[in-house]
Amino acid sequence: MPGEFDLIARYFTRHAARDDVALGVGDDAALLRPPPGQVLAATVDTLIAGVHFPEQTDPADIGHKALAVNLSDLAAMGAEPAWVMLALSLPRVDDSWLHAFAEGFHALAARHRVALVGGDTTRGPLSITVQALGWVPEGQALRRDGARPGDGLYVTGTLGDAGLGLAVLQGRAEVPPQYREALCARLNRPEPRVEAGLALRGVASAAIDISDGLAADLGHLLVASGVGGRVALDRLPRGDAVRAADAHGRLALTAGDDYELVFALPAGQERALAALADRLPPLSCIGRVEAEPGLRLVDADDNPVAFSHQGYDHFREF
Amino acid sequence: MPGEFDLIARYFTRHAARDDVALGVGDDAALLRPPPGQVLAATVDTLIAGVHFPEQTDPADIGHKALAVNLSDLAAMGAEPAWVMLALSLPRVDDSWLHAFAEGFHALAARHRVALVGGDTTRGPLSITVQALGWVPEGQALRRDGARPGDGLYVTGTLGDAGLGLAVLQGRAEVPPQYREALCARLNRPEPRVEAGLALRGVASAAIDISDGLAADLGHLLVASGVGGRVALDRLPRGDAVRAADAHGRLALTAGDDYELVFALPAGQERALAALADRLPPLSCIGRVEAEPGLRLVDADDNPVAFSHQGYDHFREF
């Protein structure tokens, strides 16, 4: 384990371990006791300074977001998060930065009862890789490939807030001052939809989280399921600020970093979904799954709307 | 999952999945079926260009080593490797680089029957984080904290080769030409001692892999166990090239990147160890565990040898 330097132990072990952690930070590997009869869900995501966040972002926000994007992936599988590992590359040891980063990380971890069980710190350009492990009962995971023609398409919460927040921060957009803080919070402190993912087990036929924009991520779900879809632009859920800035819904369709869930609901499951209302954020039915491949956008009168877009891709400039 | 861009799917999914992989690369998370009655061992390690390897290192070597250092951590726990995830940050998409990197990675993975089950690729400075998962029966893990006074101290293989290889590559040392290739292979293609780790379950009382140098890593083991140790410099196992370059054993004591195992053996277990000879690399008894904290070095006549050294620490220059 090159270069550990005890930073992980110093900054990241303050919380009591879960009783399924046999051995946490400090050995060559963590030792974990999986619950019987469940399937392990494992995901990894990296955030890099200058690519995923501006270099000067509040380190507490970076700590929050590095964990949030991984918990969001588990949420999209319907998995219950349990354990995470942190690989942190830092240009230098900066105590106040590390303290704030750890605060942001741990506050979110504590809310989801997630234990940090290991990690690695190295000298290098600022970069954070988190690997998250969780559990889902056999056969109940929300995969991408289960959507079928006739299923309804739903999203949680509102879309476009994080994208508008980024545009505001970068000086590309202006919003009334009362919206500014909330939009930036959507960008910097996304709330992974863990509870929603758990509630949708056995109800949704497929799900994915929206990190690269609805069109891109829903596109992944439709392709994985071998189907297509129709989405009504006017049904995309938008907050007041996004609605004012984006009358046509393009921001809600393409902006990334919202970390809401989009899922497919088989016909006949509407009542089951309604019964979950108290465990779910506001939901919007935005369209339906169709047999013909591709994503079709329509207006309020079901007329086609042309669009071209590839979502956010970190390699697109090459 | 920001920026995945299908690179993981394109380059890293060629090998057939293990039958305990319910869902591999391509969804929000992998779904894995742990064997019943075992404990999950989880570790993560990062390699960064310019810190852990020169920027121009053969990408096949980088792919090998990024996996090897993680399998070495599992080996040091006595865990059987099963699944790995790869977070790869790249300045640009370079097909020939990715192809070679994937070759190096997969060749080692295939030899240990390890499945790549997920990953994330992002644009950024060249950096590789691998997270490895494996299994060990409850109560049989080789932890760092089990060494007791009177235990013998052993190392696998030879020490100092990788460090001498690095010195040769950097022009800080010269060796007869017939040694050059083997030394560089020790540096660039370390062989994780997976079989040795498995064989030492129930035999060794504590173990750690040697990534930062024997003195540093054995020091971690002794501290974790609340004990000290005595090591005879002349017993440190050295190949011919290292012996010629390093008459006093200092390189074997302090050089990193060898990825051998150092372990403690309770008195009375020598016969059990001897019975494992066909499953183990050459072993050397280098000293013994003592109650008094600290690491004491002695010469062939058991006289103290002074040394000062902190091992390799990626933050030491700050």
Side-chain angles (χ1 to χ4, degrees):
Chain A
M1 187 151 52
E4 60 184 331
F5 194 66
D6 281 344
L7 289 176
I8 292 289
R10 268 165 59 198
Y11 288 96
F12 296 102
T13 53
R14 74 186 78 175
H15 285 280
R18 298 160 55 103
D19 59 10
D20 53 15
V21 178
L23 185 64
V25 171
D27 213 306
D28 294 297
L31 296 175
L32 309 166
R33 292 199 182 90
Q38 304 220 20
V39 177
L40 178 67
T43 187
V44 66
D45 261 336
T46 299
L47 299 186
I48 296 179
V51 178
H52 300 89
F53 58 86
E55 197 92 36
Q56 293 313 315
T57 302
D58 179 344
D61 288 344
I62 302 171
H64 174 102
K65 192 163 182 174
L67 179 57
V69 300
N70 281 278
L71 297 187
S72 180
D73 278 328
L74 293 184
M77 295 303 284
E80 179 183 335
W83 311 305
V84 293
M85 309 194 81
L86 169 67
L88 182 58
S89 164
L90 288 171
R92 64 193 165 278
V93 177
D94 175 334
D95 278 321
S96 70
W97 193 96
L98 278 160
H99 183 78
F101 177 91
E103 284 294 333
F105 190 96
H106 280 304
L108 181 63
R111 277 198 279 129
H112 292 283
R113 299 202 328 105
V114 164
L116 183 84
V117 297
D120 185 28
T121 51
T122 50
R123 180 172 61 81
L126 180 57
S127 163
I128 308 104
T129 296
V130 172
Q131 191 262 353
L133 299 168
W135 299 96
V136 57
E138 178 83 47
Q140 292 191 30
L142 304 174
R143 301 164 56 137
R144 295 183 183 180
D145 59 2
R148 296 295 171 258
D151 289 359
L153 289 171
Y154 291 78
V155 296
T156 59
T158 57
L159 300 177
D161 303 276
L164 184 54
L166 181 63
V168 168
L169 282 179
Q170 294 180 334
R172 292 185 286 109
E174 285 187 17
V175 296
Q178 70 269 25
Y179 295 124
R180 194 180 160 96
E181 189 176 344
L183 293 174
C184 293
R186 280 299 302 271
L187 176 68
N188 290 324
R189 297 263 181 166
E191 282 299 327
R193 294 295 194 184
V194 174
E195 278 301 310
L198 297 177
L200 291 170
R201 286 176 181 172
V203 177
S205 55
I208 189 171
D209 68 327
I210 304 175
S211 54
D212 298 342
L214 173 67
D217 290 313
L218 176 56
H220 293 316
L221 184 152
L222 297 175
V223 167
S225 296
V227 296
R230 173 175 302 246
V231 164
L233 270 180
D234 67 302
R235 293 205 211 161
L236 298 186
R238 289 169 288 164
D240 292 341
V242 171
R243 197 169 288 277
D246 173 44
H248 301 293
R250 205 153 286 265
L251 191 62
L253 183 71
T254 60
D257 268 348
D258 282 319
Y259 296 98
E260 298 291 352
L261 300 181
V262 54
F263 62 93
L265 188 80
Q269 286 282 50
E270 291 81 4
R271 187 166 296 182
L273 190 68
L276 295 170
D278 61 337
R279 296 176 60 194
L280 292 171
L283 297 180
S284 302
C285 179
I286 60 168
R288 63 177 183 271
V289 177
E290 297 176 329
E292 188 191 344
L295 176 59
R296 285 161 291 283
L297 293 176
V298 295
D299 63 17
D301 300 319
D302 210 33
N303 293 317
V305 176
F307 82 120
S308 78
H309 138 78
Q310 299 301 321
Y312 185 65
D313 182 329
H314 297 289
F315 285 108
R316 67 180 159 180
E317 67 199 72
F318 298 97
Chain B
M1 191 154 45
E4 60 185 330
F5 194 65
D6 281 342
L7 289 177
I8 293 288
R10 267 165 60 199
Y11 288 97
F12 296 103
T13 53
R14 76 187 76 174
H15 284 282
R18 299 160 55 104
D19 59 10
D20 54 15
V21 178
L23 183 65
V25 170
D27 212 305
D28 294 297
L31 296 176
L32 309 166
R33 292 200 183 89
Q38 304 222 20
V39 177
L40 178 68
T43 188
V44 65
D45 261 336
T46 299
L47 299 187
I48 296 178
V51 178
H52 300 90
F53 57 87
E55 197 92 36
Q56 293 312 315
T57 302
D58 180 344
D61 288 344
I62 301 171
H64 174 101
K65 191 163 182 173
L67 178 58
V69 300
N70 280 278
L71 297 187
S72 179
D73 279 328
L74 292 184
M77 296 303 285
E80 179 184 334
W83 312 305
V84 293
M85 308 193 82
L86 169 66
L88 181 58
S89 164
L90 289 171
R92 64 192 166 279
V93 177
D94 175 334
D95 278 321
S96 69
W97 192 97
L98 278 160
H99 183 78
F101 177 90
E103 284 295 334
F105 190 96
H106 281 303
L108 181 62
R111 275 197 281 130
H112 291 283
R113 299 202 328 104
V114 164
L116 183 84
V117 297
D120 185 28
T121 51
T122 50
R123 181 172 61 82
L126 180 57
S127 163
I128 307 105
T129 296
V130 172
Q131 192 262 352
L133 298 167
W135 299 96
V136 57
E138 178 83 48
Q140 292 191 29
L142 303 175
R143 301 165 54 138
R144 295 183 182 180
D145 59 2
R148 296 293 171 260
D151 290 358
L153 289 171
Y154 292 78
V155 296
T156 59
T158 59
L159 299 176
D161 303 275
L164 185 54
L166 181 63
V168 168
L169 281 180
Q170 294 179 334
R172 292 184 286 110
E174 285 186 20
V175 296
Q178 70 269 28
Y179 295 125
R180 195 180 161 95
E181 188 176 346
L183 292 174
C184 293
R186 279 299 302 270
L187 176 68
N188 291 324
R189 297 261 181 166
E191 282 299 327
R193 294 297 193 182
V194 174
E195 279 301 312
L198 296 177
L200 290 169
R201 288 175 180 173
V203 177
S205 55
I208 189 171
D209 69 326
I210 304 174
S211 54
D212 299 341
L214 173 67
D217 290 312
L218 176 56
H220 294 316
L221 183 153
L222 297 174
V223 168
S225 296
V227 297
R230 174 175 303 245
V231 164
L233 271 180
D234 67 302
R235 294 207 210 158
L236 299 185
R238 289 169 287 164
D240 292 341
V242 171
R243 197 170 287 277
D246 173 45
H248 302 293
R250 205 154 286 267
L251 190 62
L253 184 71
T254 61
D257 268 347
D258 281 319
Y259 296 97
E260 298 291 352
L261 300 181
V262 55
F263 62 93
L265 188 80
Q269 287 280 51
E270 292 81 4
R271 188 166 297 183
L273 190 68
L276 296 170
D278 60 338
R279 297 176 58 195
L280 292 172
L283 297 180
S284 303
C285 179
I286 61 168
R288 63 177 183 272
V289 177
E290 298 175 330
E292 188 189 345
L295 177 59
R296 286 161 292 283
L297 294 175
V298 296
D299 64 16
D301 300 320
D302 211 33
N303 294 316
V305 177
F307 82 120
S308 78
H309 140 77
Q310 299 302 319
Y312 186 65
D313 182 329
H314 297 290
F315 284 109
R316 65 181 161 178
E317 67 199 71
F318 297 99

